[in-house]
Amino acid sequence: MVLYRRGSDGLEVFLVHPGGPYWEKKDAGAWSIPKGEFDDAEDPLAAARRELKEETGCSVDGPFIELGSIVQKNRKTVVAWAVESECDAGAIRSNIVSIEWPPRSGRKLEIPEVDRAEWFSAEAAKRKLVPAQGEFIDRLRTALGPYRAG
């Protein structure tokens, strides 16, 4: 889900940073839109709203802008919608997931799926995002048209 707001300096986008030791010191190219997996039985928009709630504690209502899908370098397909909404980045509450760490060690570690969130300008968001997801920012800008403050 691409949350956006219209700030005094232009379009701002809400991004999340993955939790855990692998991502701990990674920044540019590591952030993501709140997203997750769903099966054929679940409505993709409902899944996007559910994942946003699980990863941040934030809930949103439409109207929603369909942004289509992209395929990331890891071959994961991501389907996204945008919605103009607020979410307090400093107050997110993420679900906890279990990972094997270090990899192939057999040891389990409980981590937050998301360790932090932040609002970024559209340009900064494109630098922070996993590269393929930057396309969603371009599609959102196209859908919204020129930004006019005030």
Side-chain angles (χ1 to χ4, degrees):
M1 183 71 62
V2 179
L3 271 61
Y4 71 92
R5 65 185 183 189
R6 300 166 198 258
S8 59
D9 293 329
L11 181 65
E12 296 178 340
V13 180
F14 182 82
L15 302 180
V16 296
H17 186 272
Y22 178 80
W23 297 103
E24 189 172 36
K25 294 186 169 116
K26 295 181 183 343
D27 189 53
W31 292 71
S32 177
I33 64 169
K35 59 164 182 29
E37 304 202 6
F38 62 95
D39 59 33
D40 291 338
E42 187 175 18
D43 173 69
L45 177 55
R49 294 176 74 189
R50 175 183 50 76
E51 286 290 333
L52 174 69
K53 178 78 171 167
E54 288 177 1
E55 292 181 4
T56 68
C58 297
S59 297
V60 293
D61 291 316
F64 297 97
I65 301 168
E66 188 171 352
L67 299 177
S69 64
I70 54 98
V71 178
Q72 297 182 155
K73 186 177 179 180
N74 63 2
R75 297 191 178 133
K76 180 178 182 176
T77 298
V78 178
V79 182
W81 284 263
V83 64
E84 188 168 11
S85 189
E86 284 293 330
C87 182
D88 183 348
I92 64 162
R93 296 177 315 279
S94 177
N95 58 327
I96 302 298
V97 295
S98 180
I99 63 167
E100 184 178 17
W101 192 263
R104 295 180 289 286
S105 67
R107 294 179 29 210
K108 295 292 183 182
L109 181 65
E110 301 286 313
I111 62 164
E113 190 171 359
V114 167
D115 64 8
R116 64 189 182 273
E118 193 169 329
W119 286 95
F120 293 99
S121 70
E123 284 307 314
K126 286 186 69 170
R127 290 190 300 274
K128 297 283 187 179
L129 277 167
V130 170
Q133 291 182 27
E135 176 65 23
F136 290 136
I137 305 302
D138 295 337
R139 292 176 189 176
L140 176 60
R141 285 175 154 164
T142 298
L144 295 177
Y147 176 78
R148 290 178 182 78

